[in-house]
Amino acid sequence: MFGLYDIMKFLFSFFLIMPIVTLIHLSGHAFFVTIFGGAEKKIVIGCGNKLFSLWNMEIRKYYFWNGACEFKGLKHDNRVTNMLIYLGGAIFNLVSMLAIYSLVFQKILESSVIWYQFIYFSFYIMFFSLFPMYFPDGSPSDGKAAHLALRNKLEDRVTDDILVKKMDDEDSCK
């Protein structure tokens, strides 16, 4: 039966673990942006009004809902580098899942619902970011964008969680 304890687990997972998994995903995009010479990188956690900024990260009012990696330009801008930027979030989710699983398997971390939920939400975000589709707003998923970039058919480099700002853009919110 679904009880109070289950509701508490869900709320904990939704309001703490999900944003951490989202941060890991967006850090994957930002990592590859950094490697390929992206300028003015910023990770945005959540949506809505800005609550505060910390280094190159912005936390928004609804911190548990979505996020974005914003940057301007790349020094190394080609099909392969763009593809790796799109896949970077899923790569980081996969690596974090395997690391946690390995630590639990080796009994370095104690098996708990926290790690189970972390792996679950990591897989969830990784799966739906890689699923090759267009979102209702017309932006491609990371998997679709990587496929289009590799085929050199991606005209606009904006996905659900990546925003390439034009050099004259001030600030934007997804």
Side-chain angles (χ1 to χ4, degrees):
M1 189 75 191
F2 193 72
L4 183 60
Y5 179 69
D6 296 311
I7 292 170
M8 296 305 290
K9 284 190 308 188
F10 170 76
L11 292 174
F12 175 79
S13 298
F14 190 73
F15 290 110
L16 187 64
I17 294 175
M18 185 70 159
I20 291 170
V21 169
T22 300
L23 176 62
I24 290 168
H25 182 87
L26 296 172
S27 296
H29 294 306
F31 173 78
F32 284 100
V33 167
T34 301
I35 286 177
F36 302 127
E40 298 183 36
K41 298 168 292 293
K42 178 170 66 170
I43 291 177
V44 178
I45 301 294
C47 61
N49 297 331
K50 180 171 94 170
L51 291 177
F52 63 92
S53 293
L54 184 66
W55 296 295
N56 289 342
M57 185 169 35
E58 185 175 289
I59 308 298
R60 303 246 171 134
K61 183 177 180 180
Y62 304 109
Y63 70 92
F64 50 87
W65 186 264
N66 213 347
C69 174
E70 300 177 352
F71 65 97
K72 289 185 181 180
L74 295 171
K75 286 183 184 173
H76 307 284
D77 191 359
N78 59 56
R79 295 185 304 177
V80 174
T81 60
N82 283 288
M83 183 188 69
L84 286 171
I85 289 169
Y86 294 126
L87 297 178
I91 291 168
F92 268 46
N93 286 135
L94 179 62
V95 168
S96 68
M97 281 189 319
L98 294 174
I100 293 297
Y101 179 80
S102 176
L103 292 171
V104 169
F105 183 77
Q106 295 175 28
K107 301 196 185 313
I108 295 170
L109 291 176
E110 187 177 328
S111 179
S112 75
V113 71
I114 292 171
W115 304 126
Y116 169 79
Q117 292 293 330
F118 178 85
I119 290 172
Y120 171 82
F121 280 115
S122 295
F123 184 81
Y124 176 87
I125 287 185
M126 183 180 71
F127 178 82
F128 284 106
S129 74
L130 290 177
F131 196 81
M133 65 179 205
Y134 286 101
F135 292 103
D137 69 356
S139 65
S141 68
D142 292 342
K144 184 69 170 180
H147 176 256
L148 293 171
L150 192 58
R151 294 180 60 210
N152 210 19
K153 295 189 177 202
L154 189 63
E155 296 169 17
D156 189 10
R157 294 191 320 219
V158 175
T159 67
D160 183 46
D161 61 353
I162 297 176
L163 178 63
V164 183
K165 296 164 82 175
K166 293 181 177 60
M167 290 308 214
D168 56 350
D169 282 354
E170 285 299 315
D171 191 20
S172 60
C173 176
K174 286 188 63 88

